[in-house]
Amino acid sequence: MTHSSPFQKNEHSVPPEAQAVHNTLFTLDSHIDIPWPDQNDAFENTAARHADLPKMKQGGVSAGCFVAYIGQGARNAEGRARAHEQCLAMLDVINQMQGTHNGVTARVCSTTDEISAAYAAGAIAVIPAVENGYTMGEDPEALIRFRAKGARYVTLTHNGHNDLADSAVHRPSLGDKPENHGGLSALGREAIRVMNRTGLVVDVSHASKKTMMQAARASLVPVVATHSCVRALCDHPRNLDDEQLDLLKETGGVIQITAMPAFLKPKEGEARHSAGVSDFVDHIDYVVKRLGPEYVGISSDFDGGGAIDGWSSSAQSATLTAELLRRGYDHSELAAFWGGNFLRVLKNAEEVASQV
């Protein structure tokens, strides 16, 4: 049983005044996986998905980063080629998530201006992204192809080291040592340069501490951890420690707290991992107290393992707003957490790409 929030159980427990505030906010979820193989059901309210477009509309979610996620595979020519082709195919599917169907309108958006225009028109903004730099193989030019398909960020690694960098979680079954590169490889540094030139944000979720610290210093654009939590509250290798958080502030980056129970709260005994909205907002509180409200945001990792009591689908998103209001955050802080901070980095990436 998680503690202390009256808003954890379901969307019906959101007080009307909290719902009214939620309805005024631009809300962005920075990390949503897509099912693969594709089921052509993004516009269907299906039990198979925690995040589909009808649930986003029901939950007042204005925008979502939908990711082409590829798990780490063999670091050989065949594995890299397969990952690259699947990534392109997944980006094509994400690009089909637009139009009006079943009373829901969505637009694929690759710039902050397009995101703002979609919001003004009452359309859900679908923002493509890529999870795992493995998908570019050994060719940084592949990143240009991802950007041409609308991608806005690339997660440097997943679980398991790749050719770009070391992961927070190494995989001996793939031949990983605890460290393969000591952080970024030379190829990883070149990839960051290409990302800076093209407007792709560097995502440091899943990266090792050394990788994250080196990437934050190497990138001309602030980095984002698009789906991570705070290590001081939950000692998991995927979470960011205080030194990493401080560097995020120093470089202008953002940590997007995510709804993954194992990252939010230590497991108790043999019980399954569980966490709730109150635990989620504890992580936001920690970042705000340490860094300020400009450096933290919100992500679900829905359909990639994310789901907590009270926020188990996009339809329940107002429960977070209710808990944030209960803790005393004002409208400007809510707007920052729910998308303003993340959009700041996207905009900065566009500005840098126009200059380099």
Side-chain angles (χ1 to χ4, degrees):
M1 186 78 177
T2 53
H3 58 278
S4 78
S5 172
F7 309 128
Q8 288 183 7
K9 297 305 176 188
N10 55 57
E11 62 268 37
H12 303 297
S13 63
V14 176
E17 60 273 19
Q19 185 66 56
V21 171
H22 184 76
N23 293 344
T24 69
L25 295 166
F26 170 82
T27 54
L28 182 150
D29 180 345
S30 66
H31 198 87
I32 304 167
D33 284 51
I34 63 165
W36 196 259
D38 177 50
Q39 304 299 309
N40 194 31
D41 59 359
F43 282 89
E44 305 290 331
N45 190 344
T46 169
R49 296 176 78 143
H50 294 273
D52 51 43
L53 294 166
K55 290 185 185 73
M56 291 174 75
K57 181 177 180 180
Q58 182 183 345
V61 181
S62 313
C65 296
F66 286 85
V67 298
Y69 154 67
I70 310 290
Q72 187 59 41
R75 294 185 299 274
N76 57 33
E78 181 183 357
R80 295 181 189 109
R82 187 185 305 116
H84 183 67
E85 291 307 311
Q86 182 177 325
C87 181
L88 293 175
M90 294 176 89
L91 287 171
D92 286 342
V93 165
I94 295 166
N95 272 278
Q96 292 164 13
M97 292 172 60
Q98 56 185 323
T100 301
H101 307 277
N102 296 333
V104 182
T105 300
R107 294 184 188 176
V108 175
C109 299
S110 65
T111 68
T112 51
D113 284 348
E114 289 173 358
I115 295 167
S116 297
Y119 180 59
I124 294 171
V126 172
I127 305 161
V130 173
E131 185 170 18
N132 200 352
Y134 175 56
T135 53
M136 75 163 224
E138 297 177 294
D139 178 19
E141 296 293 306
L143 297 166
I144 298 171
R145 293 192 282 279
F146 298 159
R147 182 71 187 102
K149 290 182 181 290
R152 286 313 316 262
Y153 67 75
V154 175
T155 315
L156 290 175
T157 70
H158 194 256
N159 296 332
H161 308 323
N162 60 27
D163 298 302
L164 280 67
D166 291 335
S167 170
V169 178
H170 74 291
R171 294 179 60 189
S173 62
L174 293 175
D176 289 353
K177 303 170 186 174
E179 288 187 344
N180 283 6
H181 308 290
L184 290 170
S185 68
L187 182 67
R189 291 180 182 276
E190 175 60 22
I192 288 174
R193 287 191 286 271
V194 174
M195 291 167 73
N196 288 167
R197 288 203 306 269
T198 55
L200 284 163
V201 170
V202 177
D203 175 19
V204 295
S205 286
H206 285 284
S208 73
K209 179 173 179 176
K210 286 184 181 178
T211 296
M212 179 270 167
M213 303 280 280
Q214 292 168 16
R217 293 188 173 108
S219 178
L220 300 176
V221 175
V223 300
V224 174
T226 66
H227 56 304
S228 294
C229 296
V230 172
R231 193 146 188 181
L233 298 183
C234 185
D235 187 12
H236 191 288
R238 274 278 284 103
N239 287 344
L240 303 192
D241 67 19
D242 286 351
E243 188 178 12
Q244 291 172 285
L245 291 175
D246 292 346
L247 182 60
L248 268 188
K249 178 173 183 175
E250 179 187 326
T251 54
V254 182
I255 178 172
Q256 302 282 118
I257 303 303
T258 200
M260 185 72 76
F263 304 164
L264 288 168
K265 190 178 176 185
K267 189 175 178 182
E268 296 177 6
E270 296 302 310
R272 72 174 183 88
H273 246 122
S274 65
V277 168
S278 181
D279 302 302
F280 187 100
V281 177
D282 285 347
H283 285 249
I284 292 179
D285 279 349
Y286 187 94
V287 179
V288 171
K289 286 170 185 168
R290 187 170 186 93
L291 308 183
E294 306 93 340
Y295 305 99
V296 63
I298 291 168
S299 71
S300 66
D301 206 1
F302 285 150
D303 302 315
I308 56 176
D309 296 336
W311 196 36
S312 60
S313 83
S314 298
Q316 295 181 303
S317 297
T319 59
L320 293 183
T321 299
E323 178 67 7
L324 290 162
L325 284 167
R326 190 182 73 81
R327 298 201 189 189
Y329 289 107
D330 65 25
H331 194 276
S332 67
E333 290 167 326
L334 293 173
F337 303 154
W338 263 122
N341 294 335
F342 188 81
L343 286 181
R344 166 179 59 79
V345 177
L346 290 188
K347 185 70 171 175
N348 186 260
E350 294 166 14
E351 292 166 351
V352 169
S354 72
Q355 296 164 4
V356 297

